[in-house]
Amino acid sequence: MEDRAASAGEHTQTPQLRRRLGRADLRAVPEARRALRELLRTWGRPGRSDIAELLTSELVTNAIVHTDREAVLTATVGPGGLRVEVRDFVARRPRLRVPNADDGTNGRGLFLVQSLADAWGVQPHGVGKAVWFELDAGAA
């Protein structure tokens, strides 16, 4: 985990978590949750950090399971709230599916992100993409 300063010339520190996620390493999911919990120890209204942990674990799991490549998790706490981004190196965009009772526990990740995040999206990069969400610290 890294705490990094905001842009050069700013006087305030922007708390940030940055973690490389190993290829097919599902141990990264609870490790990411623990690191995010530490970052958000005093952030937001009660329950907001729990939602952030849940959504982060969904994005991390998706990147590890569906890409078979490494990924990078970045979480930044700023004046507007929390932004979490998981960047992978596969161009294929994730599909939002409405959960079906016959799917068991599969297929619910992005549906949860869409339902619980204040904003979310997918941003293409030169190689791969970043799936991100944002949470306002004060929202109920």
Side-chain angles (χ1 to χ4, degrees):
M1 175 173 55
E2 301 172 10
D3 285 337
R4 299 169 56 149
S7 333
E10 290 185 21
H11 298 342
T12 60
Q13 293 280 322
T14 300
Q16 184 178 68
L17 162 72
R18 187 167 170 83
R19 170 120 345 140
R20 184 166 294 282
L21 308 170
R23 178 180 178 187
D25 183 7
L26 288 175
R27 294 174 301 182
V29 178
E31 291 170 4
R33 287 180 74 121
R34 266 191 304 279
L36 186 68
R37 187 177 311 121
E38 180 64 26
L39 177 72
L40 301 179
R41 192 174 53 240
T42 60
W43 176 81
R45 290 180 54 144
R48 292 306 275 173
S49 60
D50 294 335
I51 292 170
E53 283 184 50
L54 172 65
L55 300 183
T56 299
S57 65
E58 293 298 336
L59 295 188
V60 168
T61 300
N62 284 351
I64 291 171
V65 169
H66 297 294
T67 67
D68 195 32
R69 301 262 176 95
E70 289 185 343
V72 176
L73 164 67
T74 305
T76 306
V77 178
L82 171 70
R83 180 180 173 96
V84 174
E85 175 179 296
V86 177
R87 183 171 181 190
D88 64 50
F89 304 95
V90 173
R92 183 179 65 249
R93 291 177 64 89
R95 291 184 309 138
L96 177 64
R97 299 184 328 188
V98 175
N100 181 332
D102 296 335
D103 289 340
T105 60
N106 295 326
R108 289 174 166 71
L110 287 181
F111 185 75
L112 284 171
V113 173
Q114 180 185 42
S115 299
L116 297 174
D118 295 320
W120 80 282
V122 180
Q123 180 178 359
H125 286 278
V127 176
K129 65 191 168 296
V131 183
W132 59 270
F133 72 85
E134 294 177 349
L135 289 176
D136 179 346

